[in-house]
Amino acid sequence: MPTTAAAAAREILVRLHEVMAARSAAQTKLNGVVNIIGEALDSEVCSIYLLREGVLELFATRGLDERAVHVTKLALGEGLVGTIAKNVETLNLDEAAAHPDFAYRPETGEDRFHSFAGVPIIRRERAVGVLAVQHVDPRRYADVEIEALQTVAMVLSELIANAGLIDDAASDSTRPLATGPNRIAGFKLVDGMGAGVAVFHQPRVVIEHILADDVEAERRRVYAAFDKMRDQIERMASQAEFGVGGEHDEVLETYKMFAYDEGWARRINEAIDSGLTAEAAIERVQQRTRMRMREISDPLLADRMHDLEDLSNRLLRIVAGQLGTAAQMGLRQDTVLIARNLGPAELLEYDRRRLKGVILEEGSLTAHVTIVARAMGVPVLGRVRDVKRLIAEGDRILLDAGAEAVIVRPSTAMEEVFEARMAVGQKRRAAFAAQRGEPPVTRDGTRVTLMVNAGLRDDVAALDLTGADGIGLFRTEFQFLVSATLPARERQQRLYRDVLDAAGDRPVIFRTVDIGGDKALPYLDHDEDHLEENPAMGWRALRLALDREGLMKAQARALLEAGAGRTLNVMFPMVSEPWEFDQAQALFEAQRRWLGERGKKLPIDVRYGAMLEVPALAEVLDLLLPRLDFLSIGTNDLTQFLFAADRAHPKLALRYDWLSVSILRFLRRVVRPMQAAGKPVAVCGEMGGRPLEAMALIGLGIERLSITPAAVGPVKAMVRSLDLPRLRADLAAMLDMPSGPIRPQLEAWAARHGVELA
Ligand code: PEP
Ligand code: MG
């Protein structure tokens, strides 16, 4: 046996090449293979077991009793062979019978052999068979021999798949290491349920050819792929398009480290030396790393290995010329998308009708992709560990973000439970949809205004589907978030015009961009000298827009042009002092004049509103009121500032209640002067989309709500069952003289007065 792994494997592969190229039957080839390997490894026994009908069947042997071929069968996990296949691991034992999983099969006559080494034959990450050698002497096989066996096993996987020797299911599906139903926990990023097949955002490459015809040509392919991959990573780092710092920077650093790692490149080169194609060599080295990794339990190292896996797939895709994402290939059926992380633009490339859910290994509540997925109505589960190992492409997936879990390869009973839960939700939605023509009027005849929050062009469809009164918050920054560069004024204008056209007579309130802070745009430079520690309280929204006049002017022009001939509603986010509102309004008015002087058609009317998100504004609302056409309370930001509690922090998510005395009293204080001045006041934060909270808001006199489209039905049902004068009086009493938490009191009140709370 040669002393280097590459030479050892090469010697065997050269001989295998002849066997494989011969026009003989698959069984004859397998018989040839066991003889070649047995001789090369100086082993009395060499056997091949293949997975057929769920069990491992002895297909070919040199050294064991011939009569055992196609007779000896082992279940997955049974005996040494079954253990290798089940765990997709290599065993190398000097005394086989001493291993706890050893199972003696008398028909094989194997009791004479002491040493045993076996490697899994892997197809698409799942063991489809086992290649084993045995020796009379009790000696462990050398590392070079094991390496050679593993390389041969790769070649065998091609042979047996092409010859149709293994289960269809095993060769066709991309089973992961785990099989059978599995429940994996995650973190709810966007609520909802969805079922479909697992599709990886970056699909795995299926390796068609394993044995190289021209070693030098394969080497050139790998060199070129390495160059290309390094370029890509340098570009990612220089454009910082990869993310928003923190975790991502670390990932990039690790990518760089591996991309330039000589050891990795050398091992791939050695695998090519042994006679493998470039693709097979990359995969072979990756397989070896995966096996080593399983022996290490250090989570930090596991993370780094995960990065190497990503990079290895990238290299494989480059070398195989398969660069597209799953979106570019098109979704063919209902899909649950799986990715380490996604950018909002990448998510938007998917066909919304077929995208039933997203599973991310990372992800956070405020990530752009989460905001966009919420707007698309796609449930998202984040922080799901180990997806590549636990889920395979094509697996059936049931995603239940509300339950913070995904079920992979569900049993029939699991499907039934899931379907029943989905059906309950669907029935409720259908009942709400049937009521879309009914006005949101309370029992005593008060007409409440229910509008929807939107941000994407397609969101306008929600108006017709829900029967909402208009768009109470159009988050214009979405277009900025999903663009690779600052959207040109014409592009902004086109979007605003399309939205207004689709809304028809119904009002649309455009909020000027709320970017900066955690919604940083890669193409917009920030204050490089200052890393924001509290981005939510940082240089964002109107603060940033007023400092960046060019940006605000372009948006003002785009909105004024799009609103030509109609009433335009403009709202400024994060107004903290009246002068900020005045300055923004003045900027819009200057643009309006400029357009007018050039004879451009203008809006019939421009109405200006402020978002109340910063508590300080409440204190000076009277000063701003005369110039204000309307006010919208952004309770998401407002409550985080009132309680000094980061709205994205999972540990604080349940700590403070929207129905607390402090928030409700604060809102009451804001509502009073607005009512006295006869000016509209709305709530456009998530709070308004929850029926009980919405009931409290209406009870405080906030009769305009802008909410997520899915909430329109439940909130309307609540409104239509509400006796408002009674609620007003009782809620006022609860707030004047609080006797304990408000939520249970309001729940009891709703139950007593027959209020429908879905
Ligand atoms: C809010 O803060 O309540 C709001 C509606 O704005 P956003 O969620 O976009 O910050
Ligand atoms: Mg806000």
Side-chain angles (χ1 to χ4, degrees):
M1 183 85 196
T3 49
T4 70
R10 183 158 185 79
E11 189 181 298
I12 300 176
L13 290 194
V14 167
R15 292 184 64 192
L16 280 188
H17 223 317
E18 289 157 25
V19 173
M20 305 278 274
R23 294 168 56 88
S24 50
Q27 180 70 51
T28 315
K29 287 181 181 174
L30 288 183
N31 294 344
V33 170
V34 288
N35 277 320
I36 292 170
I37 298 168
E39 273 172 31
L41 266 61
D42 192 19
S43 293
E44 284 89 349
V45 178
C46 177
S47 313
I48 293 171
Y49 294 80
L50 298 183
L51 193 66
R52 208 150 62 168
E53 287 161 17
V55 291
L56 291 154
E57 181 176 318
L58 179 64
F59 255 72
T61 188
R62 148 194 157 119
L64 295 184
D65 193 327
E66 283 292 331
R67 285 167 301 185
V69 172
H70 299 301
V71 173
T72 293
K73 290 180 184 165
L74 293 150
L76 279 176
E78 185 187 359
L80 298 178
V81 167
T83 302
I84 290 168
K86 180 166 176 252
N87 301 338
V88 201
E89 69 180 6
T90 292
L91 285 182
N92 183 8
L93 310 167
D94 45 12
E95 194 51 78
H99 192 280
D101 291 325
F102 178 76
Y104 174 57
R105 285 305 172 88
E107 72 272 13
T108 61
E110 64 185 329
D111 41 337
R112 290 188 298 124
F113 307 107
H114 291 272
S115 65
F116 173 98
V119 298
I121 300 169
I122 302 168
R123 182 130 180 102
R124 300 177 189 167
E125 291 187 48
R126 186 196 182 199
V128 293
V130 171
L131 171 65
V133 285
Q134 288 169 275
H135 201 282
V136 174
D137 301 331
R139 69 159 175 103
R140 272 168 77 86
Y141 282 85
D143 283 351
V144 288
E145 293 173 311
I146 298 293
E147 294 258 333
L149 271 182
Q150 287 169 342
T151 304
V152 171
M154 247 184 117
V155 179
L156 279 178
S157 87
E158 187 189 14
L159 165 69
I160 59 182
N162 289 346
L165 290 175
I166 41 175
D167 288 351
D168 269 356
S171 64
D172 290 349
S173 74
T174 50
R175 295 286 105 192
L177 304 184
T179 51
N182 204 346
R183 191 175 194 280
I184 318 172
F187 177 73
K188 178 176 78 180
L189 293 177
V190 178
D191 201 3
M193 297 174 80
V197 296
V199 168
F200 281 86
H201 175 59
Q202 298 196 309
R204 284 194 66 76
V205 173
V206 176
I207 300 172
E208 301 296 346
H209 299 292
I210 292 189
L211 290 179
D213 291 325
D214 178 348
V215 168
E216 283 316 311
E218 297 302 318
R219 208 190 307 284
R220 282 195 298 276
R221 289 177 68 217
V222 161
Y223 283 151
F226 259 102
D227 283 347
K228 199 161 177 177
M229 182 184 67
R230 287 169 185 160
D231 274 356
Q232 283 180 0
I233 290 166
E234 295 295 347
R235 224 174 318 127
M236 276 202 282
S238 67
Q239 293 175 357
E241 68 180 5
F242 193 64
V244 289
E247 225 175 328
H248 297 290
D249 287 343
E250 244 175 70
V251 171
L252 263 182
E253 272 313 304
T254 316
Y255 273 17
K256 262 196 196 168
M257 191 184 85
F258 283 128
Y260 288 96
D261 177 35
E262 288 304 321
W264 185 33
R266 195 192 62 240
R267 284 190 290 279
I268 293 174
N269 244 316
E270 281 169 4
I272 289 178
D273 279 343
S274 72
L276 297 178
T277 58
E279 288 90 340
I282 297 166
E283 178 60 18
R284 171 79 197 91
V285 170
Q286 197 49 27
Q287 261 181 17
R288 195 160 43 192
T289 313
R290 259 181 235 134
M291 287 185 187
R292 295 239 162 99
M293 217 179 101
R294 246 175 270 141
E295 291 153 20
I296 304 166
S297 59
D298 177 352
L300 264 181
L301 201 62
D303 268 357
R304 295 290 79 94
M305 288 298 135
H306 183 107
D307 294 337
L308 178 59
E309 179 102 17
D310 264 8
L311 218 54
S312 183
N313 287 340
R314 182 180 284 261
L315 191 64
L316 206 51
R317 285 202 312 276
I318 294 172
V319 99
Q322 291 182 22
L323 291 169
T325 66
Q328 283 143 15
M329 294 179 201
L331 301 180
R332 278 185 287 280
Q333 51 193 319
D334 284 358
T335 294
V336 175
L337 185 68
I338 303 170
R340 179 186 182 129
N341 217 336
L342 285 175
E346 288 174 313
L347 181 63
L348 282 165
E349 271 181 13
Y350 284 92
D351 178 349
R352 203 165 161 171
R353 286 160 307 175
R354 291 197 165 148
L355 190 62
K356 300 298 168 190
V358 175
I359 297 174
L360 297 178
E361 290 178 76
E362 297 177 354
S364 83
L365 279 166
T366 49
H368 306 158
V369 68
T370 310
I371 298 171
V372 171
R374 192 172 295 128
M376 289 168 75
V378 178
V380 183
L381 197 68
R383 314 221 186 127
V384 183
R385 312 280 304 180
D386 245 4
V387 283
K388 290 208 191 75
R389 203 169 65 78
L390 299 171
I391 305 176
E393 185 101 24
D395 270 343
R396 171 100 177 137
I397 304 272
L398 308 178
L399 174 89
D400 189 343
E404 302 212 295
V406 274
I407 294 172
V408 191
R409 301 173 296 274
S411 63
T412 317
M414 289 166 171
E415 288 269 9
E416 281 168 7
V417 172
F418 186 85
E419 263 168 39
R421 264 173 63 83
M422 282 264 271
V424 172
Q426 262 155 9
K427 222 163 134 185
R428 272 187 44 211
R429 280 194 295 281
F432 291 137
Q435 287 183 2
R436 66 173 165 258
E438 310 280 340
V441 179
T442 60
R443 282 201 338 232
D444 53 288
T446 306
R447 175 67 159 85
V448 170
T449 304
L450 288 188
M451 298 190 285
V452 287
N453 293 343
L456 301 168
R457 191 184 301 267
D458 293 352
D459 289 348
V460 188
L463 281 176
D464 291 330
L465 293 172
T466 59
D469 293 313
I471 297 177
L473 167 64
F474 190 88
R475 292 177 159 110
T476 60
E477 68 272 12
F478 275 19
Q479 189 185 24
F480 289 65
L481 291 177
V482 301
S483 304
T485 53
L486 198 69
R489 184 170 51 81
E490 293 72 23
R491 262 180 67 206
Q492 295 183 41
Q493 196 224 87
R494 259 199 311 277
L495 170 66
Y496 306 151
R497 181 165 293 153
D498 289 352
V499 170
L500 286 168
D501 283 347
D505 296 339
R506 292 162 292 197
V508 179
I509 298 176
F510 290 98
R511 168 173 83 180
T512 58
V513 283
D514 180 358
I515 46 179
D518 69 322
K519 286 190 254 177
L521 301 178
Y523 48 81
L524 199 79
D525 5 303
H526 287 270
D527 187 351
E528 265 147 31
D529 302 329
H530 177 69
L531 185 72
E532 293 196 309
E533 282 184 16
N534 295 301
M537 293 197 278
W539 189 55
R540 59 173 276 213
L542 195 57
R543 302 163 180 187
L544 181 148
L546 287 176
D547 288 356
R548 294 225 157 216
E549 259 203 8
L551 186 117
M552 185 82 161
K553 273 187 189 158
Q555 185 168 40
R557 280 261 294 282
L559 281 167
L560 290 162
E561 284 169 351
R566 350 183 194 216
T567 296
L568 177 70
N569 297 290
V570 179
M571 179 161 79
F572 304 121
M574 289 272 292
V575 177
S576 312
E577 287 256 46
W579 65 262
E580 291 174 320
F581 175 88
D582 295 339
Q583 209 170 310
Q585 188 185 25
L587 187 145
F588 264 75
E589 286 299 309
Q591 290 306 309
R592 193 180 179 181
R593 274 196 305 280
W594 191 88
L595 287 170
E597 282 158 17
R598 275 151 192 79
K600 302 267 184 200
K601 195 172 171 196
L602 291 171
I604 303 165
D605 189 15
V606 184
R607 300 176 72 246
Y608 295 101
M611 284 188 79
L612 191 140
E613 304 181 271
V614 177
L617 187 66
E619 220 39 69
V620 287
L621 201 54
D622 57 324
L623 306 179
L624 182 61
L625 243 176
R627 275 112 61 210
L628 213 53
D629 291 313
F630 59 90
L631 184 78
S632 193
I633 307 174
T635 48
N636 301 341
D637 276 313
L638 177 67
T639 50
Q640 78 168 342
F641 297 138
L642 269 182
F643 277 117
D646 183 348
R647 77 193 229 189
H649 200 305
K651 286 208 168 62
L652 301 179
L654 300 173
R655 191 176 185 99
Y656 305 108
D657 193 350
W658 272 318
L659 295 178
S660 67
V661 176
S662 46
I663 290 180
L664 296 178
R665 279 188 180 170
F666 187 91
L667 293 175
R668 184 166 68 170
R669 198 150 65 88
V670 172
V671 169
R672 278 182 184 148
M674 295 303 296
Q675 280 177 332
K679 300 219 169 157
V681 55
V683 157
C684 61
E686 301 304 308
M687 178 180 180
R690 297 156 68 120
L692 189 70
E693 279 84 340
M695 184 183 94
L697 293 171
I698 296 169
L700 292 173
I702 300 169
E703 287 160 13
R704 301 170 74 83
L705 300 174
S706 189
I707 57 186
T708 179
V712 172
V715 171
K716 195 196 287 185
M718 179 278 294
V719 168
R720 291 174 61 83
S721 59
L722 186 63
D723 178 352
L724 188 52
R726 263 188 125 122
L727 172 67
R728 273 202 194 118
D730 293 347
L731 180 60
M734 285 179 215
L735 292 180
D736 289 341
M737 299 263 282
S739 59
I742 302 289
R743 180 175 293 277
Q745 293 178 56
L746 277 179
E747 272 165 352
W749 190 94
R752 237 183 1 261
H753 294 88
V755 179
E756 214 176 291
L757 295 177

